[in-house]
Amino acid sequence: MKFNSLYGALRLSRFVSTVLLLALFVAPLAAQQPTPPKSPAQTAARTEAPTFDNLLSPDTYKLYGEVRNVGQLLSNGGAGEIVDPIVKLADPGPQFKAIISFLKKNSESLASSRMMFASWAVRTDVPTIFVAIEFQNEEDATKFAPKLETFLPTVLPPVPVTPEPTPESQTKPDNAARPGTTPKPGTAIATDIPSIRQSPRTGASPQVAERLPFVITHAGNLVCITDKSFKFSKLRPAESKPLFQDQNFRIARDQFSSEPIFFFFNVALEEQNKPKQIAAERKAEAQAEADRARLEEEARPAQTPEATPNATPDATPEEAPPTRIGVLTVGPPSSPTPTPTKEEQAQRIASSQIGGMLDAIGYGEPQWPEAVGLAVALEGNQYVLRAIMIDKPEAKKLPLPFVPQLVSGAPFNSDAASVLPDDTEVFVSASIDLRQTYEGMRKAGDVKAKADAGPRSRTYENGVLVAQGTSREPAPDPFAEFEKKAKFNIKDDLLPALGNEVALAGSLKTLQSAGGMNLGIKSPSPSPSESSKDDPNKKQPEVLPILLIEVKDRDAARALMPKVLNGLGIGEANLIAQTEKRDDTEMVNYAGVFAYGFVGNFLVISEASAVRRVVDAYVNHQTLSSNTVFRNSRRWESNRGVGQIYVSPALMEGYQDGLRKTSATMDAALRDFLLGLNPNAEAITYSLSNDGLGTQHELHLPKNLILMTVAGVSSAIKNPPPEQNEMIAIGMLQYFATQETAYKAGAGKGNYGSVQQLVDAKMYPLEAFDKYGYKIDATVMGDQFEAVALPKEYGKTGKRSFFIDKSGVVRGDDHGGAPASVADKPVQ
């Protein structure tokens, strides 16, 4: 039974991947044609041939997609250019190439068509995958359907299956479906729509040995591809409205009416299933808890009331005193942890305090939208991704649904770029309603603290309740602790002094390494930043990103900043603070390491060298807002958004530089392809807005960056890099050691087996690993074994050699292609 389920899942996965591949490459050949207006008679007649407008109901599929005007996209390059590196560099196989060839041969008949596809079915009486190609007229659809019936079996051959009887299989005789016609033997025909025919199965009996994993249905000017037979009346029951009349669908589709590719995800349908899923999960948890309590009760020795005079009727296993268990530790004792310096202790305290407060921004249930619309387009030399998240009318305006307490502020014209240096590589800015965000964090934190305190416990004496309380003490409120030490109120004192704009900026390296909260307060020691005082104009490597917060009242914010450090537990730093003023800027420096400054309308926080660079750029009028590339790349953005991201051309330049450095060892086909691309590096830009209909996201990606990425991945699939082969070789040895243990316990009767013995026992698929550039060899000596993995072509398929024995520890190093041994260090 399990095998059949697994096989069915694999078969469905194969069909889905092929249909989606067809969908992807039909897209460049399809172009939307205007649909002529329907007469009242056509609109009222539900039995007429279906169209996109009346085909589906809103509650049939969670995912809907549509391809429009994509023939124009193909003529400009676009999708065709993405296919090119896949075919040339990945060697995708005969099925992929056959699909490309088929679509090219039929490009003329497909040029005047458009395509729709739907998936993630809500009901079981409809196909899991539904693809429909709409032709200009029924004659064109009739000509194309036989071609598809001939082609698809070449890429989706028949599969063995024992189909279960379905209502569709018990239809009327074929000759009753359409008077005056004689369909092919074995053809299954839907009987609720005229002029329909479906692809033949291998036999009419439900006990056939195999069948095609798809069904082609021709109805009017539609040709549909599905994974099973269906009735059009099931796609949209008579009492339901069409999907095209659903309000959320109309908002999304009208928003992206001109984009070539459009997707719609009905999140509300997914949310409707959550109560059932939650109920099932709670039932399973309750059952598991009951089983655990029963097992503990059975394992607990019997006790008399005299032995437990203070036993309470409601006592639970959690209330019992913990049992002490001895633990035997094998091996040398671990080295003692170095005692942190005073500065390091202060940094940890501050980081913990900030982390405790910021964690509350994610407390609470995510506010998922009711629906999501997504569109893809090629505009000039950029791929553009647009999305709209349609929320409930009463929903909070969240920039990210999975951060439930982060609330967007009013639309703004970002001003942070007028403060940052002109060579800033990454810039992220957003309008945040700090008051609503703070209040939401406090409330969510209180709810979580109460929940974490656990259930109420009860204490009885002689059967009488004498005390009750929570099983654990509630976690301390980090905001209250901060306010107590800072001696001011966040809501009434700090927030009124701040504006809505919050920004983060820096180099690609600083933002990549900023994985945790770090104020940069560290023990004083000679460092590049210290030695840079003699050359303040020289740009030094930065460790921290730059945080900018808009300030409405500089005097109030200036007075509160020393208190903020007190609240973070690092108030002693105020004793070494030095103030530097230049023009109307002001910088407070803490021993050349950590600093904050007031520059323009912003509070700037970072390490000292970074804040000083911001001051220099602002005073010298060399800011990011004056950067030509920055200005030109953002011309498409609205001036009234609530968020934006800018990644400078430095990202593409870094990729290109890396390609140049590795060109000598690069695959020749990949090198030739990359050299043919436009060498100009471009920026990546993103904008967030909300016009009342929903939160709108728009991302612009350079076309050449996408092509470089696709080419690199395609080449890696065909010629995996040495590092990838090395990781696979490590996994190969680990799996080999596991199978050796199993062989010894079974067929080996106490002895380990050679590589060939494990292969013969079908315990080690050597041929499956053969293509990854490493060869495996093993030496077996009774109850001992040693196995090595060596690169087949040193330097090309791998550099490191690896070793493993019955300990299960993989060891290895670069031995120039020679074997590794037990003397090598363990690999990470």
Side-chain angles (χ1 to χ4, degrees):
M1 185 66 181
K2 291 183 178 179
F3 174 79
N4 290 337
S5 300
L6 177 60
Y7 182 80
L10 293 174
R11 178 166 53 83
L12 177 60
S13 174
R14 182 184 179 192
F15 171 75
V16 169
S17 61
T18 303
V19 169
L20 291 180
L21 190 61
L22 275 170
L24 175 64
F25 293 108
V26 167
L29 304 172
Q32 181 182 16
Q33 296 296 318
T35 303
K38 296 180 176 64
S39 65
Q42 289 176 315
T43 304
R46 180 66 184 92
T47 57
E48 290 290 336
T51 65
F52 281 12
D53 293 350
N54 64 15
L55 188 59
L56 304 176
S57 66
D59 60 351
T60 304
Y61 291 97
K62 299 176 186 178
L63 178 64
Y64 171 93
E66 191 173 329
V67 177
R68 313 177 296 222
N69 296 328
V70 189
Q72 183 179 0
L73 177 64
L74 179 64
S75 64
N76 294 335
E81 288 186 321
I82 291 181
V83 175
D84 188 45
I86 296 175
V87 174
K88 290 182 177 179
L89 305 175
D91 191 14
Q95 289 183 331
F96 187 96
K97 294 177 180 178
I99 293 173
I100 301 299
S101 176
F102 173 78
L103 295 174
K104 288 183 177 179
K105 289 179 180 178
N106 294 277
S107 59
E108 184 177 350
S109 59
L110 288 169
S112 59
S113 65
R114 62 174 179 168
M115 184 185 65
M116 177 267 283
F117 52 92
S119 182
W120 218 329
V122 176
R123 304 192 306 269
T124 58
D125 58 353
V126 296
T128 304
I129 298 292
F130 188 93
V131 179
I133 306 174
E134 183 183 55
F135 290 85
Q136 197 167 16
N137 51 61
E138 184 175 353
E139 182 181 357
D140 291 343
T142 303
K143 292 179 180 178
F144 183 77
K147 298 179 182 178
L148 201 57
E149 290 177 354
T150 302
F151 166 72
L152 277 186
T154 65
V155 293
L156 288 171
V159 293
V161 66
T162 304
E164 298 178 359
T166 61
E168 287 80 1
S169 66
Q170 301 172 357
T171 58
K172 298 178 181 179
D174 295 344
N175 56 8
R178 186 167 47 176
T181 61
T182 304
K184 299 177 182 178
T187 301
I189 299 180
T191 59
D192 61 336
I193 295 295
S195 185
I196 299 176
R197 73 180 174 171
Q198 298 176 338
S199 60
R201 295 186 179 188
T202 56
S205 171
Q207 301 298 324
V208 294
E210 61 180 22
R211 72 169 181 87
L212 293 173
F214 63 88
V215 176
I216 298 174
T217 305
H218 170 210
N221 62 345
L222 293 184
V223 175
C224 307
I225 310 171
T226 57
D227 59 307
K228 66 179 182 180
S229 300
F230 69 96
K231 289 186 177 182
F232 281 92
S233 60
K234 297 292 185 180
L235 297 177
R236 183 172 75 84
E239 67 278 4
S240 63
K241 64 181 181 181
L243 174 63
F244 276 51
Q245 294 180 11
D246 180 75
Q247 181 179 0
N248 289 339
F249 181 82
R250 292 305 315 177
I251 291 174
R253 197 170 186 272
D254 291 346
Q255 185 74 26
F256 305 130
S257 59
S258 61
E259 281 75 6
I261 302 176
F262 167 69
F263 298 91
F264 176 77
F265 181 54
N266 195 338
V267 185
L269 292 179
E270 179 69 12
E271 292 296 306
Q272 289 174 7
N273 295 329
K274 278 192 174 182
K276 297 180 181 179
Q277 297 173 357
I278 293 174
E281 292 172 359
R282 288 179 178 174
K283 183 178 180 180
E285 291 174 359
Q287 183 62 44
E289 180 66 19
D291 293 342
R292 185 182 66 81
R294 178 177 55 78
L295 292 174
E296 289 186 358
E297 182 65 26
E298 293 174 355
R300 185 181 301 156
Q303 296 179 344
T304 64
E306 292 75 12
T308 58
N310 294 326
T312 63
D314 290 2
T316 63
E318 288 79 7
E319 297 170 10
T323 303
R324 297 183 178 274
I325 302 175
V327 179
L328 177 63
T329 303
V330 180
S334 58
S335 57
T337 303
T339 303
T341 64
K342 187 176 181 180
E343 292 81 2
E344 290 173 339
Q345 288 178 334
Q347 176 181 325
R348 292 177 184 178
I349 293 173
S351 299
S352 176
Q353 183 83 19
I354 294 177
M357 291 189 290
L358 291 182
D359 283 347
I361 205 169
Y363 293 164
E365 289 295 325
Q367 179 185 283
W368 298 111
E370 287 193 323
V372 176
L374 178 68
V376 184
L378 175 65
E379 298 179 359
N381 291 323
Q382 293 183 328
Y383 282 106
V384 181
L385 280 74
R386 297 185 175 98
I388 181 171
M389 297 188 177
I390 305 169
D391 298 310
K392 297 178 181 178
E394 68 277 9
K396 295 186 294 185
K397 294 184 178 181
L398 303 183
L400 300 171
F402 48 84
V403 186
Q405 305 309 329
L406 185 65
V407 182
S408 294
F412 73 131
N413 190 357
S414 175
D415 195 37
S418 63
V419 170
L420 291 166
D422 61 350
D423 59 351
T424 300
E425 294 177 348
V426 181
F427 169 57
V428 181
S429 178
S431 174
I432 305 298
D433 190 320
L434 296 179
R435 181 176 292 273
Q436 286 195 52
T437 298
Y438 170 73
E439 291 176 349
M441 292 167 67
R442 290 298 299 265
K443 292 178 182 178
D446 291 342
V447 173
K448 186 176 186 299
K450 292 178 181 178
D452 290 345
R456 299 183 67 84
S457 60
R458 295 172 292 276
T459 304
Y460 293 85
E461 288 185 3
N462 299 323
V464 179
L465 177 66
V466 296
Q468 60 180 349
T470 57
S471 59
R472 294 183 297 275
E473 287 295 325
D477 182 352
F479 294 100
E481 288 189 344
F482 173 86
E483 291 179 336
K484 181 178 179 181
K485 291 185 289 185
K487 296 182 179 179
F488 69 79
N489 184 274
I490 295 176
K491 180 178 178 180
D492 298 331
D493 299 325
L494 179 60
L495 296 185
L498 305 178
N500 283 349
E501 184 171 2
V502 178
L504 196 68
S507 66
L508 291 166
K509 290 184 179 180
T510 58
L511 292 179
Q512 182 178 357
S513 61
M517 179 57 61
N518 188 329
L519 296 180
I521 300 177
K522 46 194 175 185
S523 55
S525 59
S527 65
S529 61
E530 289 289 325
S531 61
S532 67
K533 293 180 180 178
D534 297 334
D535 186 7
N537 296 323
K538 183 178 179 180
K539 180 179 178 180
Q540 299 297 329
E542 298 170 2
V543 177
L544 295 175
I546 303 169
L547 174 65
L548 301 94
I549 304 174
E550 184 184 5
V551 174
K552 293 193 296 186
D553 188 339
R554 179 184 286 196
D555 292 337
R558 182 191 297 112
L560 290 174
M561 283 304 295
K563 298 181 180 180
V564 170
L565 298 186
N566 290 332
L568 295 176
I570 53 175
E572 293 182 0
N574 290 317
L575 300 176
I576 58 173
Q578 294 181 340
T579 302
E580 306 172 12
K581 294 186 177 181
R582 291 179 60 188
D583 296 346
D584 64 340
T585 68
E586 182 178 336
M587 171 179 168
V588 181
N589 185 0
Y590 294 87
V593 180
F594 166 68
Y596 67 85
F598 294 95
V599 185
N601 295 328
F602 288 89
L603 169 64
V604 183
I605 305 173
S606 187
E607 55 189 344
S609 61
V611 176
R612 185 172 286 110
R613 287 187 59 243
V614 173
V615 171
D616 291 342
Y618 182 78
V619 171
N620 296 325
H621 304 288
Q622 297 176 344
T623 61
L624 184 62
S625 60
S626 64
N627 185 302
T628 303
V629 174
F630 175 78
R631 293 202 313 270
N632 291 341
S633 65
R634 295 177 57 250
R635 286 181 176 176
W636 62 269
E637 294 183 24
S638 168
N639 292 329
R640 305 299 295 172
V642 293
Q644 61 181 18
I645 297 176
Y646 164 80
V647 180
S648 78
L651 179 65
M652 283 191 65
E653 291 170 353
Y655 283 148
Q656 292 169 342
D657 184 60
L659 294 173
R660 285 191 292 268
K661 291 179 179 179
T662 59
S663 59
T665 58
M666 188 183 299
D667 177 71
L670 175 62
R671 182 174 59 247
D672 293 343
F673 179 84
L674 295 175
L675 290 175
L677 297 178
N678 187 335
N680 294 333
E682 298 180 45
I684 298 173
T685 50
Y686 162 87
S687 176
L688 175 69
S689 60
N690 193 319
D691 60 2
L693 296 176
T695 305
Q696 299 173 37
H697 305 257
E698 184 165 343
L699 175 65
H700 288 226
L701 297 169
K703 183 176 71 173
N704 283 349
L705 178 62
I706 301 297
L707 295 179
M708 290 167 59
T709 303
V710 172
V713 171
S714 300
S715 180
I717 292 174
K718 183 179 179 180
N719 303 299
E723 296 79 10
Q724 179 178 326
N725 287 339
E726 290 177 0
M727 295 304 297
I728 294 175
I730 293 172
M732 291 163 55
L733 282 184
Q734 291 172 332
Y735 181 70
F736 182 83
T738 300
Q739 295 303 91
E740 279 282 24
T741 302
Y743 183 85
K744 179 184 176 184
K749 298 180 180 180
N751 294 323
Y752 293 110
S754 65
V755 175
Q756 190 58 47
Q757 285 176 318
L758 264 66
V759 172
D760 293 342
K762 300 188 183 303
M763 299 181 67
Y764 193 70
L766 185 63
E767 68 284 354
F769 295 125
D770 188 57
K771 61 182 179 180
Y772 293 111
Y774 270 78
K775 55 184 178 181
I776 300 292
D777 194 13
T779 302
V780 180
M781 298 163 288
D783 63 347
Q784 301 287 332
F785 81 89
E786 295 179 352
V788 294
L790 307 177
K792 293 181 178 179
E793 297 182 55
Y794 174 76
K796 183 177 180 180
T797 62
K799 290 186 176 181
R800 291 188 294 171
S801 302
F802 302 102
F803 168 92
I804 198 171
D805 55 20
K806 68 177 184 178
S807 69
V809 178
V810 179
R811 302 174 180 274
D813 210 338
D814 186 347
H815 292 286
S821 69
V822 71
D824 285 306
K825 58 186 179 182
V827 299
Q828 300 298 323

